[in-house]
Amino acid sequence: LSSMPWYQLLGSLNWDWNLTWHTENPDFTPCFQNTVLVWIPCIYLWVCFPVYFLYLRCHDRGYIQMSNLNKAKTALGLILWIVCWADLFYSFWERSQNIFQAPFFLVRPTVLGITMLLATFLIQYERIKGVQSSGVMTIFWLISLLCAVVVFRSKIINALNTVDAFRYATFCIYFILLLVQLILCCFPERPPLFSETVNDPNPCPEFSASFLSRITFWWITGLMVQGYRRPLEAKDLWSLNKEDKSEEIVPEAEALIIKPSQKSSEASLFKVLYKTFGPYFLMSFLFKAAHDLLMFAGPEILKLLINFVNNKAAPNWQGYFYTGLLFVCACLQTLILHQYFHICFVTGMRLKTAIVGVIYRKALVITNSARKTSTVGEIVNLMSVDAQRFMDLATYINMIWSAPLQVILALYLLWQNLGPSVLAGVAVMILLVPINAVMAMKTKTYQVAQMKSKDNRIKLMNEILNGIKVLKLYAWELAFREKVLEIRQKELKVLKKSAYLAAMATFTWVCAPFLVALSTFAVYVTIDKNNVLDAQKAFVSLALFNILRFPLNMLPMVISSIVEASVSLKRLRVFLSHEELDPDSIIRGPITDGEFLFLKQAELCTLYFSINFTVPEGSLVAVVGQVGCGKSSLLSALLGEMDKKEGYVVVKGSVAYVPQQAWVQNATLEDNIIFGREMNESRYKRVIEACALLPDIEILPTGDKTEIGEKGVNLSGGQKQRVSLARAVYCNADVYLFDDPLSAVDAHVGKHIFEKVIGPKGILKNKTRVLVTHAINYLPQMDTILVMSDGEISEMGSYQELLKQDGAFAEFLRTYANAEQSVENSDQVKASCGLYTLPVLIRLHHLYAVTSSGAGEEEEATVYWDYMKAIGLFISFLSIFLFMCNHIASLASNYWLSLWTDDPVINGTQQYTNVRLGVYGALGISQGLLGIAVFGYSMVVSIGGIFASRHLHLNLLHNVLRSPMSFFERTPSGNLVNRFSKEIDTIDSTIPPIIKMFMGSTFNVIGACIIILLATPIAAVIIPPLGLVYLFVQRFYVATSRQLKRLESVSRSPVYSHFNETLLGVSVIRAFEEQKRFIKQNDVKVDENQKAYYPSIVANRWLAVRLEYVGNCIVLFAALFAVIARNKLSAGLVGLSVSYSLQITAYLNWLVRMSSELETNIVAVERVKEYAEMEKEAEWSIEQTAPASTWPKEGKVEFRGYGLRYREDLDLVLKNINVTINGGEKIGIVGRTGAGKSSLTLGLFRINEAAEGEIIIDGINIAKIGLHDLRFKITIIPQDPILFSGSLRMNLDPFDQHSDEDIWRSLELAHLKNFVSSLPDKLNHECAEGGENLSVGQRQLVCLARALLRKSKILVLDEATAAVDLETDKLIQSTIKSQFEECTVLTIAHRLNTIMDYTRVLVLDRGEVVECGSPDHLLQEKGIFYSMAKDSGLV
């Protein structure tokens, strides 16, 4: 051998088919072993090295100390180098002995040695750069080991013939060292020094996990186990990785977005995304390409496998080799695909973070005029909806190039397989695309229509829930129920249409692959007699068609996703290019001549006024003027909120600002006052005392640590205003701008605040103060007064000076002086308002405690059963039966195909081609008829879903309307509206398709298992254990996944509510210069949300990898058993069973996703049912005890020992009331706030049932009759006049019982006739939501008209005239006198003058009747009534 030139040697020895392939015992030639197998790992490492080196240089994670593991790796690398070079020196020694070996004995050790040195260098370099576990190196050692295994086996086989002992020994050492290196590579290093993870309480285990653990997502298992054992809490979640945090991502994105936008008008967001997230998309591109190529390995290996089964002479090992190859490809495909998804999802997550952060930052600097153009709702939508669109896009974007690539590859392979007849199949597919597109368009229009109905329905529901008390008092529930159901009917009609469409779509989607296969095979067989359809052609083609189906269906989705994202992009762009406030519009800084505030000729946008004034330091300035003359705008200008046209504004020192509408954060009271400054106890106490907050803090449940709800729901208006004031005072600024802070507080509190805080003796006496005010009594104490009119300063000077001038100011004084007196009287009423909010607060706490406890496993089955009952059991079982028929037909047609392909070939043709084709077609058509079954079942499921949602909605609506008042007080209306929108929407449009897919996947998996069992019955041993593993993994996953979903949605709402809050208080935040802190808060909230989202992505990947491995095992065993039993099996059956098993992975994936989706969504049914089983109020009407239609004849009301309480565990509000009211009497009911006046009416209407005693009207005990029977017969004019959106006529008479004449007459008596006749639509005038487009007085009159229309014997007035001016009040009183002469009238009065002419007055105190008699009689008694009259100035 040694005499031949070496290249010839290579040529002859490199490859020898007889040695490697056509033999029972395959082996490679020594030449191949010593060249190719050595070079593969070396080439790999040298190619990776430059890229990897650069990557490491840029990504430095800190320095890892030398550990034993690292020392071992390095030592082994050096020993490997020594071993390789020992070979080299041995070759030199041989030369010196004149034994000439082939040159590759020199080349091989040299190359290997250098590569090992490089590997050792990389091990150290990674350590310095802080890489804990390296993929590049693991793969290198793995490839090296695999190549060495082949050589090692060949060495062992030929061991007896070789004499080269030295090389044999070195090779053994080399092999063992490689194995050890690979094992060592699987362990991660310790974390780097100075890294964030050290001081992190709960770091994410991802980076400290080993490479193997990361590609299989093993590192999340700890969290999964925890979630399986007990419900997860927020503290169990890991902290985010540094590069996923807002503070890392947003500045990058912001820098790129904000910088270019200064130059070009259009900031190209796309470019920004590309620059920020480019590298990730590149990685995902590589992974996706690798995955797409591997996808086609399946069918190709299947082809070889079928050939192998057909070729009885082939050695057995080839079959096992193919099986192994199939399995390895499938596993690689799984790992690559999920790495790809992981990158996509994480990138999507970062995108969302970036977008939310950038929007938030922009919202803080946008001008007010620009804010008018986009409402708060729209901006919040940008954050939620549009950011979500980008997240979805991140996963789809690669399909843009990947789908066409897959289609082209599949077509190429099909063409090779079947020739031109493929075009028939492709034609069918292409025909189906426009059909699908048309359907998609149609679906879209239906969706829009459905959304419209839904919005209307929710709007109506919202009104019903807000005005529920009025509905109950008037007994109008049924009328409104009908209105809601009418809208719902429209909605269901649209739903039905889209259900037909969905059924069509499912039909095409299920039958498409079959039609494609049928047309292709038919054309193939009929073109030419010699075209034989054998197993290889048929099943490989089927496998390829299955691959082809996916991209073709994905493309429309991707395109629509891209269109949506581009729309979102446009909206984002518009928002981000709004103009920003100019930070330099006010000069903040000292001014030489000790003056202080300065506006010179500043023309402000919207109100062009030119103003000059200066304010000396430390003075108190009042700004007064008529409504709308620009007082608040003046303050805005000082804050730099207005667009300055010219001139300059100088403000010396820091600014504190109290806006007109108090802005309160959702935080504790203390946080609201301190507002990010450090706590100073003594100052804090002083401020609270001065702002009159002490009494309020005492009533709150936990003092100043009480959490204030969003928009300050649990504070009264005055309390909010005082908190806002306290915030400004606490921050100790140099300049104070007060925008009318005294208007919302009661007069005596206002006085206190002025003396203690604002006035000449208050806390702020040495500061500069600008006070906008309407209160005249404080003006004499001011240093200067500015009088504004129409955006100009008309006068300016001290109080005395201005009075002398007798100009606009004096006129202003006269206008407001009269108003002041009336304010003083209504003061007592206001003082008590603060107390009302307490019970609500406590109730809220109770409620939240109740709703958060979730349902257990046992209840799940019952929910499904409820849902099936809601659909109807017959329909449920029918759909399951149709599903089965369809799948049986599909299995049968494919089984027939396998028999067809096994037909013997005689003279190059198959004999029964036509019969076979016919039956295949027939089975297909039967599948098509059962395609009609497909159509049938989709129809049935969709229609069933509609039945269910109709039924559930009806129940929900009915039950909510039947709930007692206490239920509505306890439950936040948001929760209820959510049930009617979110949950019902889920039941309408999410659950049916999920059920369809779930059933489809289930039957697909079962079908595949059946086929595999048919082909190789021995698989029965394997499938059940795999099934168990599958179930276990799935249960395990669902437990955790559900918790994570819950945590994620819980942590998502703070992001939006904080954002809402910021938008409302943006001027305050800017004035106090707290932007940084709010940005930080927003970042923290977003990160909290992503903290829950990240593990849920990873958990998804974890599950998918585990399950796909189960699927891969099924593929492995299907192929393996087919190889083992190859002599008994026909090629057709092998093809059938393997092609089915190739699909099973996809189905399993789908199945789990669908089942977990189903479980998370079916909760909606449960929540809707939950409200259906709440307590109800009494029956609406009871046949047996229904009173006569003429009842009550005289209107005599008796209270006998009557007592009432609001809740079981509370004291009686009314006790021991014994009063008899004769028919036609006029009774006034008076008493201080909280004496139980309103409770009396609630008892009369049975809004609350009696706790003791009874009420008897005309001899009938009202507790015995139906609620509607009672409420229709008594009329109330309620305290707050509530109207519903709809026509005026509907508001007066929702049941359409009265004629138009009646209605006009009642309007005339209510003094509304002139107003209504002047409206263009007369009675059909649309009232806005809550009657916003009528004044309060007009609304009150509409309520009077309602009462006149009903004309019942008993009339209750609940402080009906409190909101009306004196004139209207007189009108109402005279009408009531004339129209309700014979009726019994009960009036709850605040203004005593209205009841001075009544027959009797009841005085209540602490729930008992203390005085009763005619007004004159009570005045002489000098009791409570007398003192009240004295307060009102009537005595």
Side-chain angles (χ1 to χ4, degrees), residues 169-331:
T170 52
F171 185 77
C172 288
I173 297 170
Y174 170 74
F175 182 71
I176 291 165
L177 289 175
L178 279 181
L179 187 61
V180 178
Q181 273 285 30
L182 181 62
I183 294 168
L184 286 182
C185 238
C186 297
F187 296 106
E189 292 275 349
R190 57 171 75 171
L193 293 175
F194 324 119
S195 74
E196 289 79 21
T197 47
V198 182
N199 39 28
D200 195 343
N202 190 3
C204 178
E206 184 180 2
F207 285 102
S208 50
S210 69
F211 174 68
L212 282 178
S213 161
R214 281 169 67 178
I215 57 172
T216 55
F217 297 98
W218 186 259
W219 49 273
I220 194 191
T221 312
L223 189 72
M224 307 288 278
V225 174
Q226 231 175 354
Y228 187 64
R229 290 207 184 123
R230 59 176 175 79
L232 289 173
E233 293 159 39
K235 63 172 191 296
D236 299 325
L237 301 173
W238 315 305
S239 344
L240 278 179
N241 299 326
K242 185 159 165 268
E243 54 266 31
D244 294 334
K245 285 200 174 142
S246 302
E247 57 204 42
E248 287 286 314
I249 296 173
V250 184
E252 274 186 47
E254 197 182 21
L256 287 164
I257 288 176
I258 310 293
K259 294 262 160 37
S261 64
Q262 257 86 51
K263 293 189 210 79
S264 61
S265 52
E266 287 265 288
S268 162
L269 256 180
F270 195 72
K271 214 184 261 163
V272 174
L273 299 179
Y274 165 71
K275 273 191 183 149
T276 323
F277 300 108
Y280 302 111
F281 284 124
L282 180 71
M283 286 299 292
S284 65
F285 168 83
L286 294 174
F287 278 128
K288 184 73 178 144
H291 170 253
D292 285 354
L293 294 174
L294 275 175
M295 226 160 89
F296 291 101
E300 288 305 294
I301 297 171
L302 176 63
K303 188 169 170 177
L304 298 171
L305 220 137
I306 293 173
N307 279 347
F308 162 77
V309 175
N310 274 336
N311 174 10
K312 300 294 181 209
N316 270 342
W317 68 269
Q318 289 184 7
Y320 298 124
F321 172 68
Y322 291 142
T323 306
L325 206 54
L326 198 58
F327 182 63
V328 168
C329 278
C331 290

Side-chain angles (χ1 to χ4, degrees), residues 79 205 262 408 464 512 595 687 747 787 961 995 1097 1122 1278 1358 1404:
I79 298 172
Q262 257 86 51
I408 290 165
I464 289 178
E595 317 177 315
V687 168
V787 184
L961 289 177
I995 286 185
I1097 306 174
D1358 189 354
L1404 287 178

